[in-house]
Amino acid sequence: DKILRLAAAHRMNTDTRRTIFCTLMTCEDYVDAFEKLVALNLKGRQERDLAYVIMHCCLKEKKFNPFYQHLSIRLCGVLKSLRYTFQFAFWDKLKELAGPDGPTSLQPATNIGRLVGGLVCHSTLSLAVLKICDFTQLPPPFKAAVSAVLDCVFAQDGADAVAATFKRIAGAEEYAALRAGLMFFMLNDYTSTQNLALVDAAGKAMQAKSGFAADFE
């Protein structure tokens, strides 16, 4: 079977991963994929494979496919623990992409950054997902992924929505370095937006005395 051979080529080395992969490759749309994946009634480690396979397929696309973002948001709406796994899968994939065997293209990092950006904008994750970043020495894949996350955040409807996203990491002392790093990045390395008013709104939101940090560690 062609799909099973493709699954093997992508190292889907367990029955669960092969089933998830084949479902993604043969579904009609993200709604169809969502219904079929939920019907599998995966538990424990099997459920965690959902995030792994979705993240893997997303980064392998030649350009970002919003299918994976819509599907991930929908799945996290019913499988609450999946948000933890998406965070860890994002971290693992970023480290792989920045490693010595990572691809030269930055498209995979951009792809998973936009997937995570969608989860951030829907409050499934918060910008705390970027806390693993050392903004003083970001490798190119990390820069691409962070930029993609911010692209999604700044594309929200209006300054209030943007500010609300940044306010979720306000107040907590454990995110002080993250707030400083994000501000540094937006002012020095982020070139996707020229709207300084939105950057200013983000900075003010992060300086708020209190905020809800949706940290899933």
Side-chain angles (χ1 to χ4, degrees):
D1 182 273
K2 182 179 179 181
I3 299 298
L4 286 175
R5 290 197 299 271
L6 185 61
H10 282 265
R11 299 181 181 178
M12 297 295 133
N13 53 7
T14 68
D15 288 342
T16 301
R17 291 185 179 185
R18 279 190 291 272
T19 299
I20 295 168
F21 181 87
C22 292
T23 300
L24 295 177
M25 294 300 107
T26 58
C27 64
E28 296 180 4
D29 53 28
Y30 81 89
V31 176
D32 183 44
F34 167 78
E35 292 174 349
K36 289 177 177 176
L37 290 172
V38 171
L40 293 175
N41 196 29
L42 302 175
K43 301 295 183 183
R45 182 177 179 82
Q46 291 180 325
E47 182 181 293
R48 294 195 292 273
D49 282 339
L50 279 172
Y52 171 87
V53 177
I54 290 171
M55 193 77 69
H56 172 86
C57 292
C58 179
L59 69 83
K60 290 295 184 180
E61 295 278 358
K62 292 182 179 179
K63 63 179 182 179
F64 177 68
N65 186 344
F67 164 85
Y68 299 104
Q69 186 186 83
H70 296 316
L71 174 60
S72 300
I73 292 168
R74 193 81 176 264
L75 286 170
C76 287
V78 297
L79 303 173
K80 301 300 183 182
S81 63
L82 199 57
R83 64 184 68 188
Y84 300 92
T85 316
F86 268 110
Q87 174 172 279
F88 297 136
F90 177 60
W91 292 351
D92 289 344
K93 291 300 182 184
L94 265 185
K95 291 173 184 176
E96 288 179 15
L97 293 174
D101 297 324
T104 56
S105 171
L106 296 178
Q107 190 61 50
T110 297
N111 287 351
I112 62 173
R114 291 189 64 181
L115 188 160
V116 168
L119 293 173
V120 169
C121 291
H122 282 77
S123 298
T124 301
L125 295 176
S126 81
L127 286 169
V129 73
L130 300 178
K131 66 184 179 180
I132 64 161
C133 297
D134 179 356
F135 288 94
T136 63
Q137 48 182 3
L138 281 181
F142 276 74
K143 284 186 177 181
V146 173
S147 292
V149 171
L150 292 177
D151 284 347
C152 293
V153 172
F154 284 116
Q156 293 179 101
D157 188 15
D160 288 346
V162 172
T165 300
F166 282 92
K167 191 173 183 180
R168 296 182 72 207
I169 57 168
E173 181 61 29
E174 63 186 303
Y175 300 124
L178 172 60
R179 293 191 293 269
L182 274 172
M183 203 66 211
F184 175 86
F185 183 84
M186 289 187 291
L187 292 175
N188 294 279
D189 295 314
Y190 183 55
T191 59
S192 296
T193 179
Q194 300 300 318
N195 193 335
L196 293 179
L198 287 179
V199 173
D200 183 61
K204 289 179 179 177
M206 288 191 291
Q207 293 171 7
K209 291 184 178 180
S210 63
F212 172 69
D215 181 21
F216 299 109
E217 186 173 324

